[in-house]
Amino acid sequence: MATSREHDFLSSAALRIMESASKSRLFGYTEGQRKLFDFSCDLKRDWSKVVAGQTLWQHGGDGIDKDLRTFLNEEDIHAAVYIARHESRHRARFTEVTQSYLRGPLRNRLSRLRVFWVPADFNAGDDKSREAIYASLREEITKDLLLQVALGGLTPQDVTRFAASKRPGLPIAILSYVKKQGYRNHRTASKDLNVSLDALRYEVERLFIIGFLGSESLQGGIYHVSDSGNAMLDITSRLHDYLESNLGEGNKNDEFEHICGLLGIDYPSIPITTRLLGKEAEVDIQDPTSLLLQHVAQAHADGSVSWPEPYFELPSASEISASK
């Protein structure tokens, strides 16, 4: 089927945005097989999550039913990106179709949908129009898709709560410890981490309550690192790179800085020469970024953390399917 310039630009832009964001070194990216979709890719950490997408531009609202049915019937995708021309008939039809699925057996799969509406007057032949739409999609896809799928649904409020711990370095040390060897009881972990039992118990329970640790029991107990906890470990590891002048060329990483900005982490505002530890520490206790960097600096000084390197060497879901 012939496609328009707008359709092709939007489909390509979605992939370029996700590929570019992977340069943050918080997740990996591999373009996937299109199969029934306009575009597809795998996002990787120590897992592989397939993102598939459709672009609605030329065909009318009747195509929405087919597109959503394809999304919801495909078992292997974790997120379904729908980029659609913003017209009243499209929005009305989209609402009508999704409402019908709410009453059916596939209703739980509606949560995988991520819809991005593009102004109907978008003209892919105009340079300024392309730049504006790309910038808008970059902001929306990063915030509404990548933070949810690749970074465990992490929010600025989560970052603030994490940084608010009054025990510098300990939250990162606990997450690193649990990820590396699991967590059976407070007493063993207290000894292994060389921290008082009361301090450890309080911090573990705090991390559980705010969602960075998970447990099969509502009361806690045998803990594991949650998706948001793993994302925070990766973010603090890249912040550790920043403090060690190893973030990238010139100690800069624009993609990482953009994602951090969406999470309220303005690390470039704090020079690496800032004193973060000791009695003369230059730490603004009202600033989550300053507190977060203090956690990173203290964990580094304590030698209590195995800072995770980017680890994106898993085969893609499409490669696994092909091998079968």
Side-chain angles (χ1 to χ4, degrees), residues 24 26 235 238-239 253-260 267:
S24 65
L26 294 175
I235 287 172
R238 301 289 77 76
L239 292 175
N253 183 317
D254 291 339
E255 291 77 15
F256 178 65
E257 184 176 335
H258 177 67
I259 290 174
C260 281
Y267 68 88

Side-chain angles (χ1 to χ4, degrees), residues 56-73:
L56 169 69
W57 196 258
Q58 285 184 314
H59 63 274
D62 291 340
I64 292 176
D65 196 353
K66 175 179 176 294
D67 289 341
L68 295 191
R69 184 169 61 251
T70 302
F71 277 141
L72 299 181
N73 280 295

Side-chain angles (χ1 to χ4, degrees), residues 194-268:
N194 192 29
V195 63
S196 75
L197 187 60
D198 287 344
L200 179 78
R201 181 183 291 111
Y202 176 86
E203 192 60 39
V204 166
E205 291 176 355
R206 195 183 77 88
L207 289 172
F208 175 60
I209 290 170
I210 63 179
F212 289 96
L213 290 176
S215 174
E216 296 303 318
S217 168
L218 293 177
Q219 301 299 319
I222 300 177
Y223 296 99
H224 62 266
V225 181
S226 66
D227 287 347
S228 59
N230 276 309
M232 182 56 73
L233 269 178
D234 286 338
I235 287 172
T236 55
S237 185
R238 301 289 77 76
L239 292 175
H240 176 256
D241 289 340
Y242 170 69
L243 292 179
E244 293 295 296
S245 299
N246 193 35
L247 187 59
E249 185 176 352
N251 203 27
K252 288 183 63 65
N253 183 317
D254 291 339
E255 291 77 15
F256 178 65
E257 184 176 335
H258 177 67
I259 290 174
C260 281
L262 294 176
L263 292 170
I265 306 171
D266 184 20
Y267 68 88

Side-chain angles (χ1 to χ4, degrees), residues 85-98:
R85 185 171 183 158
H86 192 175
E87 294 183 353
S88 58
R89 59 173 179 153
H90 289 165
R91 296 204 69 140
R93 183 58 181 161
F94 179 84
T95 300
E96 181 182 345
V97 174
T98 53

Side-chain angles (χ1 to χ4, degrees), residues 14-215:
L15 290 179
R16 285 191 288 124
I17 288 165
M18 288 184 276
E19 182 178 19
S20 178
S22 71
K23 296 176 183 177
S24 65
R25 300 171 75 219
L26 294 175
F27 59 90
Y29 167 93
T30 301
E31 187 167 343
Q33 297 178 352
R34 289 177 53 180
K35 295 184 180 179
L36 302 174
F37 305 104
D38 289 329
F39 56 91
S40 175
C41 68
D42 296 341
L43 304 181
K44 307 172 186 291
R45 285 220 310 263
D46 47 357
W47 39 248
S48 181
K49 295 186 177 181
V50 178
V51 177
Q54 293 286 85
T55 300
L56 169 69
W57 196 258
Q58 285 184 314
H59 63 274
D62 291 340
I64 292 176
D65 196 353
K66 175 179 176 294
D67 289 341
L68 295 191
R69 184 169 61 251
T70 302
F71 277 141
L72 299 181
N73 280 295
E74 188 73 19
E75 294 183 356
D76 295 334
I77 64 175
H78 293 82
V81 176
Y82 203 34
I83 301 177
R85 185 171 183 158
H86 192 175
E87 294 183 353
S88 58
R89 59 173 179 153
H90 289 165
R91 296 204 69 140
R93 183 58 181 161
F94 179 84
T95 300
E96 181 182 345
V97 174
T98 53
Q99 288 295 317
S100 70
Y101 278 109
L102 283 173
R103 299 186 293 271
L106 298 178
R107 59 184 177 275
N108 292 335
R109 295 187 182 180
L110 285 172
S111 62
R112 66 170 60 166
L113 287 174
R114 298 287 188 276
V115 185
F116 304 101
W117 297 101
V118 175
D121 62 353
F122 167 54
N123 177 10
D126 181 76
D127 290 344
K128 290 185 177 180
S129 183
R130 285 199 309 272
E131 291 173 5
I133 292 300
Y134 186 87
S136 176
L137 280 177
R138 180 187 184 224
E139 193 78 1
E140 292 185 42
I141 288 176
T142 304
K143 184 183 300 180
D144 297 337
L145 173 68
L146 298 179
L147 293 188
Q148 294 296 320
V149 175
L151 297 181
L154 204 61
T155 69
Q157 291 74 23
D158 292 332
V159 172
T160 298
R161 295 185 186 108
F162 183 87
S165 170
K166 297 180 181 179
R167 297 171 175 82
L170 185 55
I172 304 175
I174 291 172
L175 291 183
S176 177
Y177 174 84
V178 176
K179 184 176 180 67
K180 187 175 182 180
Q181 56 195 80
Y183 196 100
R184 293 288 175 177
N185 59 72
H186 294 314
R187 196 167 299 279
T188 300
S190 171
K191 181 179 179 181
D192 290 344
L193 289 171
N194 192 29
V195 63
S196 75
L197 187 60
D198 287 344
L200 179 78
R201 181 183 291 111
Y202 176 86
E203 192 60 39
V204 166
E205 291 176 355
R206 195 183 77 88
L207 289 172
F208 175 60
I209 290 170
I210 63 179
F212 289 96
L213 290 176
S215 174

